[in-house]
Each structure stands twice: as C-alpha cells, then as structure tokens.
Amino acid sequence: MVLNPVISKLVGKLVVLASASPRRMEILRNVGLRFEVVPSRFKETLDKSQFKTPQQYAVETAKQKALEVAKRMPFQHLKIPHMVIGADTIVSVDGKILEKPVDKKDAYRMLSSLSGKEHSVYTGVALVFCHEKENEVDYQLFDFYEETKVKFADLSESMLWEYIDSGEPMDKAGGYGIQALGGMLVESVHGDFLNVVGFPLNHFCRQLDLLYNGSKLSSSDSHSTLILSQPSPDHGPGSSCKRSPPASPAHKVKINSEQGDGSRTPVNSLSNKTSPGKSAETRRAMPLNVTEQEEREPKREELQRIIQLMEGFKASKALFTASNVGLFDVLRRRPELDAAEVAQELKASVRGTERLLEACVSLGLLKSKERPSQTPVYKNTSLSKRFLLSDTPFSLRGYIQHCDKTVWPLFSHLEEAVQEGSNQHQRAFGKTSEDLFQDAVYNNQEAKLRFMGAMHSIARVTGKAVATAFDLSRFKTACDLGGCTGALAYEFTKAHPELTVTVFDLPAVVDLSEHFHPRHTDNRVSFVAGDFFKDDLPKADLYILARVLHDWSDEKVNILLNKIAEACTPGCAVLVAETILDRESPYAALQSLNMLVQTEGRERTKRQYADLLRQHGFGAVRTVQTSNFLDAFMARKV
Ligand code: SAM
C-alpha cells in the first residue's frame, strides 16, 4: 500500500538507495517506496576539520555517496535512475563527530563519552535527480539534514561492556542502535526517532512534497538547509532542471549543482567529466549497417523460435500461477468443470480463470472438452497428473513454488547480476548474504520450508537415476553432505539394501527434516547437524555431494573437498551429482545463470569437476550422464 501521496509520484520511476543499511531500507519500504539498492562505493574519508559544523559533514558525505552512484549507474548498469537517495548518519558530542566504531575499544571510547549526557544525531540526506537529454546526463542535487537530541542514562562499566560484547555497536554511528538493544541506554529523545535509526522519513516526505507539489516547508523546519537547485512549484524536478548546451564530445556526464547561497560549484569539482561510453539509450540510437541478409523477410521457423524465447516467461508464470492457486488439485477432485465452476472453487474471477484455463490448455497442462452450444469443460492431462498435483510421488509443486517466489524475483535482477557478477538477494529481498544459506535462504521459517520443499521435490524426481548410476555394492556407509530433507538418501537406501546413509546438513535444516520423512522406512537413514566448512564430517565409505558444489566458489569447493579428502581413507569414494555444463542443451547454461543470481557458485564442465576431484587426491573418475537432469561423477581416494 502506498501511504504517502508524494511517494506515489515515484511509482514506476527508477529510484535508487545508495546505501546498504537494512534499517534505511526498512524505513523506506514501510511507506511503500519502491527502490533498488546500489550501495555507494564512496569512502567516508572527508576531512572533518574542513567542516564548520557536524551537520555539514553529514550532508557532504551523503552528497558524495549519492553522486558516486548516480555517476556510476549509466556506465556500469546502463541505466539512468530518476532519483538517487544518499544518507549519512553521525553522532556528535562535545563538538566531536562519532561515526562507526572500528573495534570494541573504539566502541567503549564512544559510548563512555555519551554516558549521562545529551548528544545530537544528524542524518544528512542528498537527493540526486538525473536528467538525460541528447546523450548528456544532468544531475540536480537537493540536500537537507535532520537533528535529533538523545540523552543517555549513566552507564555502568558492566552495562557498557555487556552491550559492546553483544556485537551490536559495530556497524552503527556513535556505537549504538536505538531500535534494538541500544534502546536500553537511552533516557530521552527529542525529535524524529527514525532519524536516530538512520533516516529522517518525515523530513524526506516533506522535502519530496516541496519538490513535487511546491508546498512550503513549515517555518519550524529550521534544519532544512542547502536546497541546491529548486524546481518551479508547478512541475516535478524533471521539468525545472537548468540544462546546459550539449557538451562536446557527446555523451558527456555533466553535473549541475548550486550551493545554498545560490553560487555554483565548479562543475569540475563534482564531475569526472569523462565519457560514460554508450548508454543503453544511445546505443539504440546508433545507425546500423543493414546487410541484405538482415533485410530478407523472416522465415516462419525463425520467427517461431525467437517468439518462443521472448515469450517463454509467460508460459512459466502461467504454470506457477495455476499451481499456486491449486487449479490442478481442483480438477482432480472435480474433473470436467467449466470456467465458472472452477472460478467458484478457486474463489477467483470468471474472467481471469477463463484465461488461465485456456493458457493451460495451450501449454498441454489441461484438456478441454467442447460441448455443442455449451461452455467447454476442463480436466488434467497425464503430464499435470504426474507432476502438478500437490501430493503425488513426483509432484514438483515445491520446486514450482521456489521458482515463483524465489528464483523469479532474483532473475528479474539478472541485468544487475551480469553487471556486478554477484547474486541478487539484496535487491530482490533486502537480504545480505555473507553466508548464503544462513542469511538469505533460511532466515525465516516460511522461506526455509519452501526451499526444503523445493529440494525435496526435485530430489524425488531425479534421485533414483543418481542412486543407481554406479555399482555401490562395496560401500556399507555413506554420508550425504548437504543432504537436506533426506530425499536422495532414501533413494540410495532403496536402491542399495546394504547401505546406511547419514544426512549431514545445517542445524536449521535438520530441525525440520522430520516434516519430510517418508511414512514407511527402516532406520537406515539418520541425520547429523553441522556445518561442512567448519565441523568434523561423519565417518563414511562414500561421500555424496548432490547439487552442493554448484552453490560455491572454487575457493569454498576446495575447502570442502579438502575436508572430505582428509576424512577419507584409501578406497573411500566421493560421488558428485551436478548438471554438467556443455553446449548440448541450454539447460545447464541457464542453470549457471541461476547460480549467478542465487549463489556465489556456478555450473561446471566435466573437465572442471574431474580436475577439482583429482587436485584433492581422488582418481579413477567416472562419469554417468543420467537420463535425468543431474549427471553423476564417482572418484576413488588414492
Ligand atoms: N543435496 C540436496 C539435493 O540434491 O536436493 C540439497 C541441495 S541444496 C542446493 C544445498 C544443501 O546444502 C542445502 O540443503 C543446504 O542446507 C546445505 N548446506 C549449505 N551450506 C551448508 C553447510 N555449511 N553445511 C552443511 N550443509 C550446508
């Protein structure tokens, strides 16, 4: 819901937050602002002694942060944002500026200087509006700051150290976070609480109101200063920008900036004045040398192929939607319903249901029976009965939900992933992922169960082919590292009656594994909780790694294979199940893009896997390309 009518003016425009602070993101998301996060690379190294007041320092830092991102985006992201928001929060006490502590000692120094006293928290905010015209980008800058006074209680030594040892002070200006444990240190607050958290939301909204609607700031707004280049009240910032004549050479990035006193900052001091190369827009405008080959009429098959590729996402989303609303389950319970009856069952509109049903028919997921002068009725095809019902042995519903709720949002940031070469959890979900699984995948119960459900369903479908790829009769014990719900382990015990399997996975996963235990099973599958990068691995004759190595960089893969090699005695073996990257079908290459948006890993070629295994003392590498989507390698410890 968009709460603020001013914020609604930004809907559909590319707004960028030049800050990775989760607190700022949360404050802005809570009011319905939609934005991308591009953390600024500006190092906070301005010389504090050059500023007359702490607030000037905070505002200048905010400006530099926002400008760095606004200037970088046309080069690196090939996108020109509408507005970039930069912010910097500092604490000031006794005329000194306190930023983030560098270590515990520094945190102690800061917090003891705040004990029993009142201090000021300033957040400087800069809004950079970008205007593109004739290959030139003009930047228009607005800034302001907000001050909040905070009084700390007298802090005892033990309280101080207890707080420091909690780890909370380390990434916070002044060494405390008022919204969490640090709130216990605070006696009183005068002013905007959110300003202390990291972003003066109220002032920001008033500023936007001024910029877009031309309304006056209230006279009490004494902290709003340095409005640099103000648009005329009748129009948004885009229309009032003072444009300079096109510079030569073309595509020059140009900064327009005015100081609060009306004087102009020399362009050179803010702009690097280099050519940004060709932006996406300018590239499109370049004249093409059209060849005869390109001019001939397209053939039908060519058109079909390209249209299939362009429109493929619609088929995926139709499948996800039909599965999510339970369409296939409804038609199992009550086959041969017409659209109105299905709509009633789904509690959905008839208009929308009709379209979805017909789309599913066109994709081979439903069949329709035409009845003379009556409306058509629908039923499941054998494909949907096998894979799309919620509780059949090969149901892929869990995996479909994962594709829809996790992979789809991540893939919508593929362009940024390609630019940056990194996963997109931050952009898609506002989650940092230093440890991908702990931070990004398992950080709430719903997401965790969804991920486990996805792994479970795909392992049920692909597991037998992996479990039966090699003769394993000489192995008595196996350990499935990252074995998740145990779905693959059960396939191994089914296929090899002498084998017992230990599933080793993170505690968060093992805790929930019983949700997925099969109804009838002997006791040959057990679970051990641990971290395969840090903890001792359970002893086994055979180590299984299914869809695990592709999650990690070569560096982490080497750590893991090294641990396995150390745990193995000669004769032990490792079995790796992954999708081999080859040129035969696009599946593996697209999976590798999937790994780019989701993880720090990638799919690898047969040669790369064999080399990795050999480097860790595993020889006699054998490969089986299964009929399923996973291929299997087995190698013996020599
Ligand atoms: N092997 C399963 C399969 O093929 O369906 C699951 C593969 S899933 C992509 C990766 C698994 O590795 C997850 O179950 C995850 O919890 C587990 N994992 C990730 N980091 C781990 C760690 N540090 N220690 C143990 N398990 C980990």
Side-chain angles (χ1 to χ4, degrees), residues 435 437-438 442 451 455-456 458-459 480-485 488 504-506 509 530-533 545-548 550-552 630:
D435 180 322
F437 283 89
Q438 313 265 25
Y442 298 147
F451 182 77
M455 293 304 110
H456 192 72
I458 198 78
D480 187 3
L481 294 164
C484 205
T485 64
L488 187 64
F504 185 84
D505 210 302
L506 294 166
V509 173
D531 181 330
F532 51 45
F533 291 120
L545 287 163
R547 272 183 286 248
V548 166
H550 73 173
D551 290 335
W552 305 104
L630 278 189

Side-chain angles (χ1 to χ4, degrees), residues 429-447:
F429 305 111
K431 294 171 188 169
T432 50
S433 56
E434 259 171 39
D435 180 322
L436 171 77
F437 283 89
Q438 313 265 25
D439 299 340
V441 183
Y442 298 147
N443 75 344
N444 75 57
Q445 194 79 344
E446 191 190 330

Side-chain angles (χ1 to χ4, degrees), residues 294-337:
E294 286 159 349
E295 242 178 349
R296 74 164 165 71
E297 279 300 301
K299 288 191 192 135
R300 187 182 155 76
E301 317 80 74
E302 284 178 319
L303 264 179
Q304 259 174 350
R305 172 92 190 102
I306 200 73
I307 287 172
Q308 241 173 25
L309 290 177
M310 283 188 310
E311 306 278 299
F313 73 98
K314 294 179 187 164
S316 302
K317 193 67 180 174
L319 165 62
F320 300 162
T321 303
S323 170
N324 287 344
V325 298
L327 176 62
F328 305 106
D329 282 341
V330 163
L331 289 174
R332 174 179 46 184
R333 258 188 288 118
R334 297 186 59 200
E336 306 210 351
L337 295 184

